[in-house]
Amino acid sequence: MSNFIGDHNCKLDSKGRLLMPSVFKKQMDPGEDDRFVIQKDIYTKCLGLYPMSEWVRKSKYIKDQTNPFDEEDARFLREYFKGTAEVSLDSNNRILIPRRLLDLIDADKEVVLAGQFDKIEIWSKENYEDVGSDSAAFKALSKKIMGGKKKEAE
C-alpha cells in the first residue's frame, strides 16, 4: 500500500498536465502501476488522486455497504461517482487532469499535491494556502479527534 507524505507545488501546463513529483513516485507501492482515479472531495474544494489498487479497495468497501436497488443508496452512489476520472502517468511522468475537474477546484496554473496516507490531494494553490490557517482551531480539532485515542495507538 502506498503511503504519501509531503506537499509539493506543481505547475499545470496549458493542457492541464502536471508532473508527478518524484518523491511521490518513490512512495508508491512497488507493485503499483501508473493508473489512478481522481475524485472530487466530498467535503472540501480539492481532488483526491488514488492509486488504482487503493481505488479498487475503496470501491469494494462501498459496494459491500450499498444496495444499488435501494433509492437512497443509488442516489449516494450517483453522487459519489460524479466527478471521477481514470488517469495514468504518461512516459514523462505527467498526469492529464480533465479540465472539468480542475474547474471544480478553481485550479488554473498552479496546484499543490498533498500526500495523505493512501491518496494525494490536489488543491488550487490559493485554496491550499487558505486551509488550516487557524492554529487554535487545529489544536482544538486535534484534541477532539485524537485526545481520547492515545492509549489505543500505543
Side-chain angles (χ1 to χ4, degrees):
M1 177 185 272
S2 301
N3 189 27
F4 299 109
I5 302 168
D7 51 2
H8 305 276
N9 291 335
C10 298
K11 297 207 181 292
L12 291 168
D13 69 12
S14 61
K15 295 180 181 178
R17 294 179 298 200
L18 62 83
L19 182 64
M20 174 69 88
S22 60
V23 69
F24 282 154
K25 279 286 289 175
K26 290 175 186 170
Q27 292 171 357
M28 287 177 63
D29 184 43
E32 197 70 58
D33 64 14
D34 291 338
R35 294 173 35 224
F36 299 86
V37 172
I38 297 178
Q39 179 185 40
K40 169 71 176 90
D41 189 81
I42 296 172
Y43 303 106
T44 59
K45 207 169 194 174
C46 74
L47 303 172
L49 179 69
Y50 296 89
M52 187 57 74
S53 64
E54 178 58 26
W55 180 259
V56 168
R57 186 193 68 74
K58 187 177 169 180
S59 294
K60 181 182 178 335
Y61 174 79
I62 290 170
K63 186 176 182 180
D64 290 346
Q65 301 298 314
T66 57
N67 174 358
F69 298 103
D70 177 85
E71 185 176 355
E72 191 172 66
D73 287 7
R75 191 169 58 247
F76 165 79
L77 290 168
R78 192 172 305 109
E79 193 65 29
Y80 180 80
F81 286 104
K82 187 178 0 179
T84 59
E86 183 177 339
V87 296
S88 58
L89 292 174
D90 67 13
S91 59
N92 294 317
N93 281 331
R94 296 175 302 186
I95 294 176
L96 174 62
I97 302 174
R99 176 53 53 194
R100 66 184 173 82
L101 296 179
L102 291 171
D103 290 345
L104 289 174
I105 63 167
D106 300 328
D108 189 24
K109 294 183 174 138
E110 281 192 78
V111 295
V112 175
L113 300 184
Q116 212 178 69
F117 300 121
D118 54 4
K119 71 176 178 179
I120 299 169
E121 289 186 337
I122 303 171
W123 292 82
S124 72
K125 186 176 180 196
E126 297 78 23
N127 288 345
Y128 190 71
E129 290 171 354
D130 290 342
V131 135
S133 58
D134 183 351
S135 63
F138 180 69
K139 287 178 189 177
L141 180 62
S142 296
K143 184 175 180 181
K144 178 181 177 186
I145 300 287
M146 299 303 296
K149 299 179 182 179
K150 183 178 178 185
K151 295 233 184 249
E152 294 173 20
E154 293 174 350

